[in-house]
Amino acid sequence: PHGHVTLRSLVQSPESTGSSPFRAPVTIGSVNEVTSPTFAAPASPLQAGRDALTRHAWPEAFESLAQADREGQLSGADLEHLAEAAFFAARADIELEIKERAFKAYVAEGDDIRAARARALLAGALRITDDEEDADLELRAAFDEFERLGARVDAASAERELRDAED
């Protein structure tokens, strides 16, 4: 048809070579036709934050996850990611509060193992701020929870690893 370009007109016809994969003309569209480009819907702030985490784009991850947090309740895992992004985006001032919320979210979710782990990570973060007393309380509570759940905890090794992580 007049005003249309076909894929066949852009390649040799199958009759002339016998090798083209095109059996019939494929219409691309009118040369005069104007169409708006289609774009994928923007990712949710939560998904954008998760994607930024995988790229280690810390400020972007922090901003996106913080927006997702303002828009609704994040899971314990997402709060842990927000705390990690806060630390690496130079927002350590709010990292402890977010880690505490991650611990509470895991408790509310009934995920006792991750709650104990979050508490141990909170203890490590408290150590970095030189809050030894609260760090010791949180670490003891985490150890007690791990033991209640049947895990054997080597307290001396855990303490050593926390100290080494601080250095």
Side-chain angles (χ1 to χ4, degrees):
H2 183 67
H4 281 75
V5 177
T6 63
L7 205 46
R8 179 179 277 174
S9 68
L10 299 176
V11 296
Q12 288 184 320
S13 70
E15 296 81 23
S16 65
T17 64
S19 62
S20 174
F22 303 109
R23 304 265 189 274
V26 177
T27 301
I28 293 176
S30 172
V31 175
N32 302 355
E33 185 178 320
V34 177
T35 58
S36 299
T38 56
F39 297 100
S44 70
L46 179 58
Q47 189 57 52
R50 289 173 177 165
D51 292 345
L53 280 172
T54 63
R55 297 188 318 273
H56 296 163
W58 303 115
E60 180 186 341
F62 174 76
E63 290 302 324
S64 293
L65 291 172
Q67 181 181 349
D69 188 32
R70 288 188 298 274
E71 292 177 1
Q73 190 172 2
L74 295 181
S75 69
D78 291 323
L79 285 166
E80 274 194 271
H81 291 144
L82 177 57
E84 179 184 23
F87 177 81
F88 286 111
R91 293 298 313 269
D93 57 312
I94 60 173
E95 176 194 13
L96 285 174
E97 181 265 329
I98 298 168
K99 284 187 175 192
E100 288 174 10
R101 289 178 52 216
F103 161 70
K104 291 175 183 175
Y106 283 132
V107 169
E109 294 165 10
D111 194 338
D112 295 338
I113 293 284
R114 287 205 167 111
R117 179 182 163 276
R119 201 161 211 180
L121 293 172
L122 177 59
L126 286 165
R127 282 257 161 83
I128 291 171
T129 66
D130 293 326
D131 189 346
E132 294 293 325
E133 185 177 335
D134 283 344
D136 288 343
L137 290 172
E138 291 295 340
L139 193 57
R140 173 58 20 217
F143 287 167
D144 290 348
E145 185 64 13
F146 281 126
E147 288 175 358
R148 183 187 73 75
L149 295 167
R152 257 185 18 178
V153 177
D154 179 353
S157 294
E159 286 283 344
R160 194 170 38 257
E161 286 186 33
L162 283 174
R163 276 193 303 278
D164 290 347
E166 294 170 13
D167 297 336

